[in-house]
Amino acid sequence: MIVTTTNSIEGREISRYYDPIAANVVIGTNIFSDIGASYVDFFGGRSTSYEKKMHEMYRRVTETLKQRAQATCSGTSC
């Protein structure tokens, strides 16, 4: 299965279109992450704790999208 947001794939023939698949992920932060981010906002720099949370959210939503795409085509030729 090739998952793409384009309307063509070079060297491939598209045999079927599916409805868009979407996923949302919500991750909470703790008080220590918030305090650390406040210092970073005030003094400048990057909040590694928030960057780690964003990376985790991206990983989870990507995995959810893959699972939903596979479930959409189960039993058919994708």
Side-chain angles (χ1 to χ4, degrees), residues 15-40:
S15 60
R16 186 170 183 182
Y17 288 94
Y18 292 92
D19 290 333
I21 299 170
N24 298 309
V25 175
V26 177
I27 294 180
T29 61
N30 61 38
I31 187 70
F32 301 110
S33 296
D34 290 340
I35 291 171
S38 296
Y39 283 112
V40 170

Side-chain angles (χ1 to χ4, degrees), residues 10-65:
E10 187 175 335
R12 301 285 185 144
E13 179 181 338
I14 298 174
S15 60
R16 186 170 183 182
Y17 288 94
Y18 292 92
D19 290 333
I21 299 170
N24 298 309
V25 175
V26 177
I27 294 180
T29 61
N30 61 38
I31 187 70
F32 301 110
S33 296
D34 290 340
I35 291 171
S38 296
Y39 283 112
V40 170
D41 284 343
F42 184 76
F43 293 110
R46 294 171 56 174
S47 173
T48 56
S49 62
Y50 278 178
E51 287 179 357
K52 288 177 185 175
K53 292 287 185 179
M54 294 295 291
H55 178 72
E56 177 67 16
M57 285 177 23
Y58 177 80
R59 188 188 66 72
R60 285 186 184 183
V61 78
T62 302
E63 186 60 34
T64 300
L65 287 170

Side-chain angles (χ1 to χ4, degrees), residues 2-10 12-17:
I2 298 173
V3 179
T4 182
T5 57
T6 62
N7 60 352
S8 65
I9 302 170
E10 187 175 335
R12 301 285 185 144
E13 179 181 338
I14 298 174
S15 60
R16 186 170 183 182
Y17 288 94

Side-chain angles (χ1 to χ4, degrees), residues 1 15-18 69-78:
M1 170 185 5
S15 60
R16 186 170 183 182
Y17 288 94
Y18 292 92
Q70 289 175 346
T72 298
C73 342
S74 63
T76 63
S77 176
C78 291

